[in-house]
Amino acid sequence: DQQVKQNSPSLSVQEGRISILNCDYTNSMFDYFLWYKKYPAEGPTFLISISSIKDKNEDGRFTVFLNKSAKHLSLHIVPSQPGDSAVYFCAATLSGGYQKVTFGTGTKLQVIP
Amino acid sequence: EPEVTQTPSHQVTQMGQEVILRCVPISNHLYFYWYRQILGQKVEFLVSFYNNEISEKSEIFDDQFSVERPDGSNFTLKIRSTKLEDSAMYFCANTGAGNTIYFGEGSWLTVV
């Protein structure tokens, strides 16, 4: 049962342009969402998160949007840089701490110089 | 970002052998997790551990797997009799009272 889905396995974007990575979830109990970035042979690195009480959270070049009614979130990277090339995982959990995190399958982003 | 340290970074083992993967968590972050990622697949939850007990485990975490805090600080994942399909990157993760989970660099296990 794939509770968190990233339907695009890969994405290519020109440097300087916007990268938009999408994620859908099925479990309506999830109320806290995270994005992680992962390089090959390294652990996932936390990027940004959003609580279900918000619909947008911004941190520098990264913005996460949440549409609860559609059970959809997206990560926007503006402007995209070659160093952003990595696999991005969407993840969902229950707020309140001490909860497991459920990951999507990941989207491989390639930023072309 | 807070740091979770894992050892070994890479281990090759014969099928049927026991493997112990180790993790040094973030200080005062008392909730531990193990995840794994088989090459080319998604990151999968294995087990969560709090207050010296397993809080939750997945179907993957069968009797071949165990976790413990042998010395009150380090956190280990043991695979008693490894199978070829156990080959994966194993990530230790750690959280405190917040919702963000921080991951170690991973231990790459190759079973031959």
Side-chain angles (χ1 to χ4, degrees):
Chain A
D1 177 24
Q2 189 70 27
Q3 296 188 67
V4 180
K5 302 176 185 178
Q6 292 177 257
N7 292 319
S8 298
S10 63
L11 175 68
S12 289
V13 172
Q14 287 285 337
E15 180 179 4
R17 300 288 188 114
I18 184 171
S19 295
I20 300 176
L21 297 101
N22 293 303
C23 177
D24 298 292
Y25 61 97
T26 58
N27 188 342
S28 57
M29 297 295 290
F30 290 141
D31 60 358
Y32 196 82
F33 305 90
L34 311 97
W35 283 94
Y36 285 83
K37 176 180 178 180
K38 187 180 180 302
Y39 295 114
E42 293 185 12
T45 302
F46 169 72
L47 267 181
I48 191 169
S49 61
I50 188 167
S51 165
S52 62
I53 62 174
K54 294 185 176 182
D55 53 20
K56 177 183 174 181
N57 188 27
E58 191 173 351
D59 184 2
R61 295 186 298 114
F62 301 91
T63 304
V64 56
F65 295 91
L66 175 63
N67 182 333
K68 290 185 290 294
S69 60
K71 295 192 180 69
H72 177 84
L73 63 154
S74 61
L75 175 69
H76 292 209
I77 307 173
V78 182
S80 301
Q81 300 173 353
D84 295 330
S85 297
V87 177
Y88 289 78
F89 288 95
C90 169
T93 186
L94 304 176
S95 61
Y98 308 117
Q99 302 287 343
K100 78 171 186 182
V101 173
T102 301
F103 284 82
T105 50
T107 297
K108 185 175 183 179
L109 173 66
Q110 182 182 21
V111 180
I112 303 165
Chain B
E1 180 174 301
E3 194 167 295
V4 176
T5 306
Q6 288 185 243
T7 55
S9 57
H10 188 195
Q11 181 162 352
V12 180
T13 189
Q14 292 277 342
M15 189 169 58
Q17 295 296 305
E18 177 183 281
V19 163
I20 297 177
L21 306 178
R22 294 179 171 81
C23 173
V24 178
I26 301 166
S27 177
N28 297 322
H29 281 53
L30 303 178
Y31 209 76
F32 308 96
Y33 308 80
W34 283 99
Y35 284 77
R36 79 172 186 189
Q37 185 182 27
I38 295 172
L39 187 64
Q41 298 186 23
K42 67 174 183 175
V43 178
E44 300 176 293
F45 169 76
L46 291 179
V47 65
S48 58
F49 187 88
Y50 175 71
N51 202 24
N52 293 321
E53 289 184 351
I54 289 175
S55 300
E56 187 175 359
K57 60 182 181 179
S58 71
E59 293 177 353
I60 303 167
F61 195 87
D62 61 21
D63 292 342
Q64 294 298 313
F65 291 87
S66 63
V67 289
E68 63 178 12
R69 292 188 75 192
D71 56 10
S73 58
N74 296 327
F75 180 51
T76 63
L77 174 70
K78 181 190 291 185
I79 310 173
R80 290 190 182 82
S81 179
T82 50
K83 304 185 287 289
L84 294 176
E85 53 265 37
D86 294 327
S87 295
M89 193 84 161
Y90 288 81
F91 297 104
C92 172
N94 197 202
T95 190
N99 296 297
T100 302
I101 293 181
Y102 297 98
F103 286 81
E105 291 293 304
S107 294
W108 183 250
L109 175 64
T110 303
V111 182
V112 296

